[in-house]
């Protein structure tokens, strides 16, 4: 059987789908790396909403997807960018997501870390930003989850220089009851975060970031770097205090960063591990045996798909992630909170289907093919 897929120039090409998926099964917990998947939320397709109204979430499907990730040994990074924080999911929705997911994690024994931000305020002084962080940190800690201190749009707008970052983050680290993960999200993911840590010069910003960590390293479990710059991540992780982990958020270069070198390696907290979850888990288990070559042979072929999903405008990668979850059968529809299913073109999602199918990611290739053909027919592409 074949399927006709549209290209960027409007031409149609014939693709022959796989008939058998890659054999991927659940397995033991990882021993060599700590790995989180930043998970997406599933919208309620029957809710009468608009793009600017509060998100309507299908809680059953959302939690079922998290159980899928936990079953493969992955941790869940909850209420992060992949869950559309600031792009459809407001703080009220994120708070409910954190409560529900943390309770589910406790029930099934899954690892969970949750995003702490300031999205309940649109702006304010550094003191008001700090108070917003405190409110969210308290909720995450009360839920029993680990906290991830996310980059704040409000702080980026309010800060007059590095000293404001040092004061706000220093206070939060002193207040945290357990070690947290610090998250540096680059402007390619969110343009409002340009100049974070008080400078648009990345060397100067890195110096401030390291100063925050050095002031209270016992309160920092690790750092998540999402700058899509592999060399900068390697240089930064070599400068971390003993015991502070580097969690790669580089969806372009993750295989080499996780594999590491003679001086160290990165753990992982990645949006691409939402669609790649079972395959990524299998690769890490191979790495647990010391087989770096086998790990790379499994994970390197996935980079083309990841780079495609995260191509500029990178912040719209979430559309491809949810699209693949629909094709894989993790949800019954291709609908997103905020109407973000329209953020990528038909040729873009068609290429995503082709790349994911080629990797054997779909548990039921015939279901993925049928759903892809349904979408194509809605756009007037005859088969």
């Amino acid at each position: 059987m074949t399927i006709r897929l549209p290209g960027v120039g409007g031409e149609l090409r014939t693709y022959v789908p796989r008939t058998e998926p890659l054999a991927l099964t659940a397995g033991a917990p990882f021993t060599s790396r700590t790995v989180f998947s930043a998970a997406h939320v599933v919208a309620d397709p029957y809710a009468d909403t608009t793009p600017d109204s509060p998100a309507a979430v299908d809680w059953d499907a959302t939690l079922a997807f998290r159980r899928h990730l936990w079953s493969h040994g992955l941790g869940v990074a909850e209420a992060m960018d992949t869950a559309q924080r600031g792009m459809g999911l407001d703080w009220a929705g994120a708070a409910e997501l954190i409560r529900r997911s943390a309770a589910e994690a406790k029930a099934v024994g899954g690892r969970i870390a949750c995003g702490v931000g300031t999205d309940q305020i649109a702006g304010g002084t550094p003191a008001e930003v700090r108070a917003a962080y405190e409110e969210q940190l308290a909720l995450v800690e009360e839920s029993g989850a680990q906290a991830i201190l996310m980059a704040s749009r409000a702080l980026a707008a309010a800060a007059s220089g590095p000293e404001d970052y040092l004061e706000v983050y220093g206070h939060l680290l002193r207040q945290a009851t357990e070690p947290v993960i610090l998250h540096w999200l680059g402007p390619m993911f969110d343009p409002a975060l340009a100049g974070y840590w008080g400078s648009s010069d990345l060397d100067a910003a890195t110096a401030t970031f390291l100063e925050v960590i050095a002031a209270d390293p016992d309160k920092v479990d690790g750092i998540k770097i999402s700058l899509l710059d592999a060399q900068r991540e390697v240089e930064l992780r070599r400068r971390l205090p003993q015991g502070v982990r580097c969690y790669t958020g580089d969806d372009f270069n993750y295989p080499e960063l996780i594999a590491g070198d003679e001086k160290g390696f990165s753990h992982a907290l990645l949006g691409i591990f939402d669609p790649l979850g079972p395959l990524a888990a299998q690769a890490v288990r191979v790495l647990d045996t010391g087989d770096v070559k086998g790990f790379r042979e499994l994970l390197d072929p996935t980079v083309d798909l990841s780079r495609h999903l995260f191509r500029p405008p990178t912040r719209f990668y979430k559309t491809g992630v949810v699209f693949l979850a629909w094709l894989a059968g993790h949800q019954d529809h291709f609908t997103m909170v905020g109407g973000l299913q329209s953020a990528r073109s038909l040729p873009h999602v068609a290429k995503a289907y082709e790349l994911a199918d080629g990797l054997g990611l779909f548990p039921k290739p015939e279901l993925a093919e049928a759903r892809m053909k349904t979408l194509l027919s809605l756009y007037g592409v005859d088969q």
Side-chain angles (χ1 to χ4, degrees), residues 173-304:
L173 289 178
R174 289 189 297 272
Q175 183 172 315
T177 59
E178 299 291 340
V180 307
I181 298 173
L182 299 179
H183 186 192
W184 186 355
L185 189 69
M188 67 289 294
F189 289 94
D190 186 345
L193 298 177
Y196 212 73
W197 304 111
S199 178
S200 57
D201 180 288
L202 288 179
D203 291 336
T206 297
T208 301
F209 188 43
L210 288 169
E211 189 174 349
V212 167
I213 299 165
D216 205 345
D218 291 340
K219 285 294 187 70
V220 182
D221 165 71
I223 62 169
K224 169 175 158 54
I225 303 298
S226 300
L227 298 177
L228 303 183
D229 184 336
Q231 187 56 41
R232 182 168 291 277
E233 178 175 323
V234 169
E235 292 171 356
L236 179 53
R237 80 184 182 202
R238 290 175 180 170
R239 298 171 65 186
L240 293 175
Q242 184 71 26
V244 176
R245 310 180 200 191
C246 179
Y247 292 91
T248 188
D250 188 332
D251 300 278
F252 284 4
N253 305 290
Y254 50 94
E256 65 190 75
L257 291 164
I258 298 170
D261 55 30
E262 69 282 355
K263 295 183 179 180
F265 56 82
S266 295
H267 300 269
L269 198 166
L270 289 160
I272 192 57
F273 281 5
D274 179 303
L276 291 184
L279 177 54
Q282 183 166 308
V284 175
R285 288 193 182 91
V286 171
L287 186 60
D288 286 345
T289 69
D291 184 0
V292 176
K293 181 175 182 290
F295 166 79
R296 295 295 298 267
E297 287 175 348
L298 279 171
L299 213 54
D300 282 359
T302 69
V303 172
D304 284 347

